[in-house]
Amino acid sequence: FVRFLWEEKELKEWNPEKFPEKFTVTVQLAPCIHELLKSGVRVSYISGEAVDYHMEASPAQLVGIQDLREAIAGSKKIRATAVSLITNSGKSLWHSQPFDLCDLGCDDSITVCIRDPELCAQGQHEIMCFSNNGYNDQICIHCGSESYMEGRMREPRRHGWS
C-alpha cells in the first residue's frame, strides 16, 4: 500500500496547476500484517490468549487488515464481520484504512474481539470491564458499542477479592 503526501495531506489526484514550481512529495508505504508480526507486534484475543495467525494461511499471505480478520474468522468458522481489531492505542482497524498500520511498532499489539450478538439475544452477555482515566465501563463485548472499547484498557482480573 502506497500513498503520496504533500504538506501532510494525501494526494488523491495529480493536478500540476495546484503545486508551486518546486515542492516535495512524501511517499508513505503501509507495512503488511506479516511484516508487523515479524517485527514483534502481538495479536491476542480480548481474553489475553495469543492468536495463532498461522492458521490455514501462511503468514506471508497476511497482507492487509482484512486478510488478518478473514484468517481469524476462518479459524473460528465465523464471518469476518464478527471480528473486530483494536490497537493498544485504542484505534479500531478497518480494511479501508491500511495506513492505520503505520502507527504500529514492535512494542504494540492488536486485540481481537469476536462479536456474536446472537448470544446476547439468548441472554448470554459477556460483560467485561474497561477503564479509561479512572473511569470504568461495564461493556458486553458482543452487543456493546465498540467506541466504549476503543482507547480503553481492559481492567485486570482481581484474584482473591469478593
Side-chain angles (χ1 to χ4, degrees):
F1 303 106
V2 178
R3 72 176 172 180
F4 299 96
L5 305 170
W6 177 55
E7 295 181 348
E8 298 186 26
K9 293 180 185 171
E10 184 175 0
L11 290 173
K12 296 187 182 206
E13 63 181 56
W14 185 262
N15 185 350
E17 296 171 4
K18 290 184 177 180
F19 304 114
E21 193 172 309
K22 291 184 178 185
F23 62 96
T24 302
V25 173
T26 303
V27 177
Q28 187 177 35
L29 301 171
C32 296
I33 292 289
H34 67 88
E35 293 170 337
L36 290 172
L37 296 173
K38 284 182 184 177
S39 74
V41 171
R42 296 170 312 283
V43 181
S44 60
Y45 293 104
I46 206 162
S47 64
E49 173 191 358
V51 171
D52 178 15
Y53 51 83
H54 290 83
M55 296 163 244
E56 295 176 14
S58 73
Q61 293 174 316
L62 299 176
V63 177
I65 297 166
Q66 186 66 16
D67 296 327
L68 180 60
R69 289 177 68 211
E70 288 177 2
I72 292 168
S75 72
K76 296 284 187 187
K77 297 185 179 22
I78 58 174
R79 294 178 63 177
T81 55
V83 177
S84 294
L85 303 173
I86 303 171
T87 67
N88 60 327
S89 64
K91 182 179 264 186
S92 182
L93 294 175
W94 294 103
H95 182 61
S96 61
Q97 298 296 330
F99 291 93
D100 289 344
L101 298 176
C102 293
D103 299 332
L104 296 175
C106 62
D107 294 330
D108 289 318
S109 63
I110 298 172
T111 300
V112 178
C113 180
I114 305 293
R115 297 172 60 84
D116 187 356
E118 289 180 17
L119 289 175
C120 299
Q122 299 168 8
Q124 300 177 28
H125 295 280
E126 189 173 346
I127 305 295
M128 293 192 174
C129 186
F130 293 84
S131 59
N132 183 21
N133 295 329
Y135 296 97
N136 294 327
D137 296 313
Q138 300 284 329
I139 303 161
C140 175
I141 64 167
H142 301 297
C143 66
S145 172
E146 282 187 39
S147 64
Y148 285 109
M149 292 181 249
E150 294 175 7
R152 291 167 168 79
M153 300 299 293
R154 179 151 173 246
E155 187 174 87
R157 291 182 190 252
R158 297 185 181 169
H159 300 285
W161 293 45
S162 55

